[in-house]
Amino acid sequence: MKNLILNRMKPVAASLAFLAVLAAPALAHRVNVFAYVEGNDVVVECSYSRSERVRFGEVEVLDAATGAALLAGKTDEKGEFRFPVPPAVRAAKADLRIVLKAGEGHQNATEVKAAEYLSTAPDAAAATTAAPIASAPPSPPVAPVAAAGPVAAASAPVQTVSQTGGQGGAAPALDAAALERIVEAAVEKKIAPLRAILVAEKEKGPGLTEIVGGLGWLVGLAGIAAYFAAKGKKPRS
Amino acid sequence: MHISEGVLSGPVLAGGWALSAVGVGLGLKRLDYDRLMTVAILSAAFFVGSLIHVPIGPVSAHLILNGLLGAILGPAAFPAIAVALLLQAVLFQYGGLIVLGANVFDMAGPAVACAFAFGPLLRRAGKARAVGAFCCGFFAVLLAALLTACALALSGEGFVATAKAIVVAHVPIMLVEGAVTAMAVGFLAKVRPELLVHAPTR
């Protein structure tokens, strides 16, 4: 009888719990943190195993060598945290250590080597900090001609740069900085899918190899224990 | 509920290792040679159990099964859980090697405590056993959540908020594990009563 009542209560209790869970952070085995350089920014992507995003997780950026805290912030709804490389860090060529604290004992860290952000030419980066491109990477200016069309927002900075080359020309002369930026944006666009694959690869849970391997270990350990236990017992003769 | 590396403070880590070492030692001492395979099989169940995600609406939580191990194995659940957690840490990167002690005690301590607390119920037949098994599964997860919150609180996170977050998120798992444990123990008592550490008295 007690059981029957308990069984009837279960859906009610479960749905109540479900409502409560909605507000609570997800609990998982581990958190993943993945960081890459995009223009002058370092983008940090945070997720739990099972591709659930870490919403509003605390991110701390440290100097990998000294451990000094450089900056801190929180991830957004999509589990992303984006910060521009501080000029002081760029000058010191310091490696960055990024620590994610997702709460309830979940923590992970990753590193961004100095070479990664230094390769995005500091001169061009200095220019991008002034231009709004840095904040609008999804729609990069492909070419000044195309920019006149749908990418109206992004066209402005490009035109200001290419003023010297004269407007309306089929092949306007571009200065080196602008060209570099365009190439960078194009490359960025091309490698975006690759990056997504990398992130997905990192977020993947344990595969069959690990699972079967673990079960094999347990069988082996039991075998060893059985062997020694049997050795202790003298065979009955 | 695996605590990640680098979260807990030194004394908590050391305490976790000490308590776990004692638990594993006592568990191995009480382990009967004939039950070795049962322990290994349940250790495997615990090892794989955390991969089984129970979808509860948009979120999913994984099974823990520490109550089940406690109900079936008694004190031997301690070494079984320790080995399974070690393999999870090494192969899946769940938790870590330094926090292993704390994680083992958080999971196995409640399992063994529940096995003792509900042992008298488990030894009886019928509904009493089912209720005992359900409580074993339910309270082992609840206590594990509280112990995890304790370990975090001792290392600086606020206890009440952390405990609330962990316990609330695990309420569905407590119910599922209670049901799973009740079913498993009921089934074993019927077909293989000798597997249960609390063999039913007839």
Side-chain angles (χ1 to χ4, degrees):
Chain A
M1 194 59 212
K2 216 171 178 179
N3 240 5
L4 202 73
I5 297 167
L6 216 63
N7 278 334
R8 287 236 178 98
M9 292 274 288
K10 243 176 249 166
V12 182
S15 50
L16 276 177
F18 157 64
L19 286 175
V21 161
L22 277 181
L27 288 152
H29 319 287
R30 64 164 176 176
V31 285
N32 301 306
V33 50
F34 186 85
Y36 57 88
V37 180
E38 200 177 89
N40 186 43
D41 289 3
V42 175
V43 182
V44 187
E45 280 188 17
C46 310
S47 65
Y48 294 104
S49 42
R50 292 262 152 173
S51 69
E52 244 176 85
R53 305 279 129 190
V54 179
R55 291 183 198 87
F56 313 118
E58 275 176 51
V59 178
E60 270 178 29
V61 182
L62 313 170
D63 188 322
T66 62
L70 298 172
L71 56 105
K74 285 200 168 192
T75 59
D76 62 7
E77 279 284 334
K78 285 182 287 180
E80 226 181 70
F81 175 63
R82 180 183 282 269
F83 65 92
V85 178
V89 174
R90 191 179 280 281
K93 296 191 168 82
D95 294 344
L96 299 174
R97 183 175 165 76
I98 297 166
V99 179
L100 165 69
K101 290 180 179 171
E104 279 83 50
H106 294 299
Q107 183 174 318
N108 209 340
T110 188
E111 268 191 22
V112 173
K113 295 271 175 229
E116 282 182 51
Y117 62 77
L118 286 173
S119 67
T120 62
D123 293 344
T128 43
T129 42
I133 292 181
S135 60
S139 56
V142 184
V145 184
V151 207
S155 70
V158 175
Q159 271 174 2
T160 52
V161 177
S162 58
Q163 265 170 358
T164 49
Q167 296 282 37
L174 292 167
D175 58 58
L179 187 66
E180 204 171 316
R181 215 156 64 221
I182 290 163
V183 170
E184 227 162 65
V187 170
E188 195 61 50
K189 209 172 165 186
K190 285 281 180 218
I191 64 169
L194 288 177
R195 187 173 283 148
I197 293 171
L198 271 180
V199 174
E201 191 65 30
K202 223 185 166 193
E203 283 169 1
K204 226 168 53 182
L208 196 62
T209 323
E210 283 88 8
I211 297 166
V212 174
L215 294 178
W217 264 99
L218 286 168
V219 173
L221 286 174
I224 292 168
Y227 171 76
F228 281 106
K231 239 183 142 186
K233 273 189 193 172
K234 282 284 145 216
R236 281 166 258 156
S237 51
Chain B
M1 260 196 280
H2 299 83
I3 300 174
S4 304
E5 210 78 273
V7 178
L8 297 182
S9 61
V12 179
L13 290 172
W17 274 107
L19 288 169
S20 291
V22 171
V24 169
L26 288 179
L28 285 176
K29 221 172 168 188
R30 298 275 299 265
L31 176 58
D32 187 1
Y33 166 64
D34 298 331
R35 298 176 49 74
L36 211 52
M37 270 304 145
T38 319
V39 175
I41 291 165
L42 279 156
S43 185
F46 182 91
F47 172 72
V48 181
S50 68
L51 296 173
I52 300 171
H53 284 248
V54 184
I56 310 146
V59 292
S60 67
H62 65 88
L63 290 179
I64 297 170
L65 297 183
N66 59 342
L68 178 71
L69 266 73
I72 296 177
L73 298 177
F78 224 112
I81 289 175
V83 172
L85 278 175
L86 169 68
L87 289 173
Q88 286 185 345
V90 172
L91 294 171
F92 301 169
Q93 284 87 48
Y94 294 169
L97 286 180
I98 299 170
V99 291
L100 187 65
N103 276 335
V104 167
F105 186 74
D106 283 355
M107 293 297 136
V112 177
C114 282
F116 279 113
F118 301 110
L121 274 178
L122 288 170
R123 256 176 233 114
R124 283 161 56 189
K127 264 172 214 142
R129 186 174 54 218
V131 170
F134 180 90
C135 288
C136 233
F138 186 94
F139 285 105
V141 176
L142 178 64
L143 284 175
L146 289 176
L147 270 182
T148 305
C150 259
L152 292 171
L154 287 173
S155 304
E157 264 187 73
F159 176 73
V160 176
T162 314
K164 217 169 102 187
I166 297 181
V167 169
V168 163
H170 280 87
V171 166
I173 290 299
M174 291 173 204
L175 294 169
V176 170
E177 299 234 340
V180 166
T181 309
M183 273 192 301
V185 169
F187 178 73
L188 284 179
K190 239 177 251 156
V191 298
R192 282 266 184 278
E194 72 273 12
L195 285 183
L196 298 171
V197 71
H198 300 294
T201 46
R202 289 175 190 244

